[in-house]
Structures are given as C-alpha cells and as structure tokens.
Amino acid sequence: MKHRLTVAQAVVRFLANQLTERDGIRQRAVAGFLGIFGHGNVAGIGQALLQAQRTGQAASGRAEMPYILARNEQAMVHTAVGYARMRNRLSAMACTASIGPGSTNMLTGAALATVNRIPVLLLPSDVFATRVATPVLQELEDSRFGDVSVNDAFRPLSKYFDRVWRPEQLPQALLGAMRVLTDPVETGAVTICLPQDVQAEAYEYPDELFAQRVWHVARAVPDPLAVEAAAAVIRGAKRPLIVAGGGVIYSEASGQLDRFARETGIPVADTQAGKGALSWDHPNAVGGLGATGSPVANRLAGHADVVLGVGTRYSDFTTASRTAFRHPQVRFVNLNVASFDAGKLAALPLVADARAGLAALRPALHGRRFTGDFHDDVAAWNATVDRAYRKRSGELPTQAEVIGVVNDACGARDVVVQAAGSLPGDLQRLWRAGDPKQYHVEYGYSCMGFEIAGALGIKLADPSREVYALVGDGSYLMMAQEIVTAIAEGVKLIVVVVQNHGFASIGALSEQVGSQRFGTSYRFKNAQTGDYDGPVLPVDLALNAESLGAAVIRCRTAADLAEGLKRAREADHLTVVHVETDPLATGPGSDSWWDVPVAEVATLHSTRHARAGYLEGKRDQRHHLRPGGQA
C-alpha cells in the first residue's frame, strides 16, 4: 500500500515513527521540531506540522510531532543540543528554517553540535529544484556552479549531508540521517536540505517507510586482547591518573567509574564535559584537569606515568595545550567508543563503550591497587574553594562568590548551564557537582549565547529538574530571545545574569598577551584616543529581561542573591536574577597554561613582556609520540 504525501508530510510522519533503544529502554529518536517559518518552509514543513498536530494525534492525545516556535535559528539549534545532551544522545530534536538567512543562521549551531558530538537534525530550506523562478528571494547566485546554494556551507559542519532534489530521493536521505543520529561514534549535526518546491510536491510513498523503526544503540564491547594489553600497561604504572570525559556521562558509566576508582585507588580528574561523572566529594575525585582545572589535578597530571582517558577527546584546555602531562615516559591508554579519539596522544586504544570498557578492564587488573598522596591536597583545595565563596566586605560580589551562592542554592539534581567567557573556568574549578547531569557547560565550541537556549532544551528534556542558566552580560546581549520562547511554552527557567560590563575572560586574556584589555569593556568610546575607557554604558539588562516577559529580581549583595534564588526556585515561572560583580576580581587559578600566541615583534612594552612569558610557557609544550603500549 502507498500513501500520497508531500515530501514535508512524509518527513514528519517518518520521524514520528523512529525510536532508539539502549539497555531495553526505548524513546523517541526525534522528540519534536523547533522552527521559524518563512516563505521557504511555511507551505512545506509548516503545513506538515500543522496537519500532524490537527489530524495526527497519537494514542496519548499528544501531537504526532510536537512543534516549538523559536525566536532565533541559531538559538533553536542550541536548544536541540541541550535537549540531546540531557538525554545522553539517545533522543534528538529537528530544526526547520526558511531559505537564505534563516537557514544560514543555523550554521553556528551546526558547528557546535558536531564539535561536541551531539545529534541534531537540521532541515534548512533550499532554492527551487526546478529553477523555474531563479533567482528566488534570498537565493545566492554563483556564476561558476549551477547547483550550489548557501546551504552548501553546512557540508563541512555536518556529520551527514544530503539535498533532496526529487521526492523519490527522500527515503534514502532519511535513513542515512537516522543512521548517523543514532550512532554514538559518528553523531553530530545531520543536515537534509529541502528545496522549497520539493517540500510541497506529492509522491506515493510505500507503507514500509512509515513503519515503526527501532534503532538499537549498542554498547560496543572491547576486544579481549586489547583489554589485556591496556590492563598490563595500567598494572605496570606507579602514578596512574584517570581522565573522565563526557563519554562517561553519555554512556551512563558513573557507577562503573566509581567502582573502578575505589577498587584501584586511582585518582580521577575530569574535563568540562565529564564534570559530575564522579561526585565532587568522592574519595578519588581530584577536580578538573587542564587550563580551567584545579591545581591538584594538574599536579597529579604532571607526575602521572600512565593516563587512562575515558570518553575524552583531549581538547587543548584538557591537556593545557600539551603541557599538562610532563612525565618523560608518560603513556596513554584511551577508552573511547570512537577510534578517532581512542588513538590520540599515541595512546594504546581501547575502543569500546565507556561502561562496557570499564566493566571489562576492572577484573583484568587482577586486584592491582595504587596508593596516592593526593587526599591532603584535595582537602586543602576544598578549603581554598570555601574561601573563594566567602564575601569580601565593602565590595561588589566576586564571580567566585556568585558561583558559590548558586551552588548552595542548587539541589542535588538541579542543573547549571554555561558556555563561554570567564565563567567556564571558574565553574570547572569551583563548582561542586553531585550528579552526572548537574553540570552542563558547553566548552567544545564555547559559544556565547548558548546558555539560555541550551537551558530551555535541558528543561524540555527533563522537566523534573530545576535549571539555572548562568549567563554573562556579553552572552546575554548576543542571544536572550529564547526567554520569550520559554515563556510562551510555559517552561520555567532560572536565569542568573552576571553583569560585569564587558568581556571579563577576554579582558584578562588581553592583559596576559600584552593588549591591555583593549576593546573588551562596555563603556563609552573616548573620541580623542579611540579607547573604550569612558563611563559605563547605561545598559539595564534587568529591565530588558522584564520587557521580554520575565519576572526579574535585582540583587546587589551575595545575601540578596541567595534570597533572590530562593524566591526564583519557589516560583512557577521563568525568573531572571540580576547581579553585578567586580569585573577585575579573580578567583583561584589552575596553575596551568593555555597556548595563545603573543605578537613576536611589537613596539608596546606590555606586548614584549608578554611575549617573554609566552616563550617560557612554550618550553613545557611537547608532542606525545611514545607508543602507549610499550614499556
């Protein structure tokens, strides 16, 4: 039997019948659509979603394919990323946008999803397949190629890309998209471009296309010989270290990591994506690693002779730009579901799901247990964090103090969301995560503007949790529109706006590289010098949030903030809590380094001085080429 449907109707019906399954638990592979309609998709995907809502009611009484009206196309991809990450990449969302700028606005979100290995389905509208009216509104004409549109920019940002020029091409495109969306190794942004005329074109599709499909997400088990080789390297270590990445959390491997660490005695450092894999007060937890990590973890990394990386991609922040691991004979064993990441740093690769891999590796160590001297250092570091959380009398709250107040206000299952600026560094060092899903800092792409939109996706994924979006004034000014979306959908968020009148992170980095905080302050420009060193701009972000429909609480002190967060938690609606902080106050450091080049020649003394410091840092940088499996 066949169904005569438009391409857009077929897309919606197909996606409504896709499920994922892992460990016997099933859920929708694509939970819903986020979108903004324009001339490129209103008659196609827009009509199909309306039809599904009005006539395609599921047995539950809910729409066959739920739809959420977004306010910014980039932001709606961030929302989809937050949703998928909270669902451990087992359920995703689709994003539809109109031709031209509507679709290219999603490019940044596509890059963010692919960098972070998060599944999201992008359906950008495209030019007419028939070319009968070329050039249509918003079409890019290229004198060299007749088949290129702006959507070709998605190709390098996508893990799967296709363009449906004819209705009969749709089944292959959809099945290819689902393969990648449900593959933990290959996942990322999946893009299917839909020409606007093809979206509305009808075709007789076979029944089989719309049958319920269950995509099994297998737990890849390690090769037994690889397990034994990895165990042999670890057994021979004197000062091993575990680096827990996001793969631990996506694999739901925290329980196995807990048991592995307790039985072996090996200290566990975490990455931004892996924070919370072990609770902060676990006896083996030593905090974040690398440029935004804790001094304790970085000291241990410097002495480690064997590093077991679990589910990490070893970004430059994690490795402190290849300066973190200083032992001259250091070897790496990388447990990762992706061979691409498992082979990094010339490691001995153990290609497997994190949970399955740890379960296999633990008995292979034959009871080997290590003793370390890190517990006193951890206790001293916790005392340092306590001091950073305390009030400095007579001044504006510090950013560290704000983090402490928010951390204290959070319950064990509450979620903090952040993405860019100085906050991620302070958060990785100072935040005390007690649950694997509590800490959500997007630091793969470090995209300003992710915070509120990402928080919306997280809350949609798990409405039972309170979600705190911690956003600086710079990020807020870039993308606050999804406050409106959350209010329209009746989604409660707690948005903490930290106002410090500029780019605090880049201001500090600018000073470090000898650029004197140039162009990093939100102040009036000095007409004589061209510097932004005039009075603070009269920007009222609290009033702006209020104009978008949010309830707003203004705070001046840490005590105000604590009370404001209490009120926001008790409320049943989105609340923005606004607090101003000292822009120059810094929290405790990581005792680590990050490679940001400094000008080799300069007339400025500050730059020349910074160059000397940069070259000193470069001296510790190294390649890791020693084969991980060799003694």
Side-chain angles (χ1 to χ4, degrees), residues 170-351:
L170 183 64
Q172 181 178 350
L174 290 174
L175 291 170
M178 290 307 306
R179 174 185 63 80
V180 176
L181 286 171
T182 58
D183 184 345
V185 176
E186 288 297 320
T187 200
V190 170
T191 303
I192 301 179
C193 305
L194 298 174
Q196 55 184 308
D197 53 343
V198 175
Q199 286 185 47
E201 190 174 345
Y203 186 76
E204 292 191 351
Y205 289 103
D207 247 358
E208 293 86 352
L209 180 63
F210 308 112
Q212 188 179 86
R213 278 184 172 80
V214 179
W215 299 82
H216 178 66
V217 182
R219 290 193 179 277
V221 297
D223 178 83
L225 293 178
V227 171
E228 181 49 44
V233 173
I234 297 169
R235 286 197 302 265
K238 294 181 179 178
R239 299 178 69 91
L241 175 70
I242 296 170
V243 179
V248 177
I249 294 173
Y250 299 140
S251 176
E252 299 172 344
S254 290
Q256 281 291 344
L257 179 61
D258 172 27
R259 186 174 179 184
F260 187 94
R262 288 180 189 273
E263 290 187 6
T264 63
I266 302 175
V268 180
D270 53 51
T271 69
Q272 286 280 10
K275 191 173 182 67
L278 288 185
S279 177
W280 72 276
D281 56 356
H282 189 282
N284 295 72
V286 296
L289 178 68
T292 55
S294 77
V296 181
N298 285 324
R299 181 184 67 81
L300 291 169
H303 293 106
D305 57 348
V306 171
V307 177
L308 172 60
V310 185
T312 177
R313 65 189 188 95
Y314 288 110
S315 75
D316 66 332
F317 262 70
T318 297
T319 68
S321 300
R322 303 285 180 94
T323 64
F325 308 109
R326 302 186 183 187
H327 191 287
Q329 278 82 47
V330 64
R331 289 176 290 169
F332 296 85
V333 175
N334 290 343
L335 168 56
N336 204 293
V337 71
S339 61
F340 176 75
D341 291 319
K344 289 179 176 175
L345 305 180
L348 176 68
L350 184 58
V351 179

Side-chain angles (χ1 to χ4, degrees), residues 127 131 139-142 145-150 152 163 165:
V127 298
R131 305 185 191 174
E139 178 177 352
L140 171 72
E141 291 185 279
D142 193 316
F145 309 106
D147 63 345
V148 168
S149 79
V150 294
D152 286 273
R163 182 181 277 114
W165 290 115

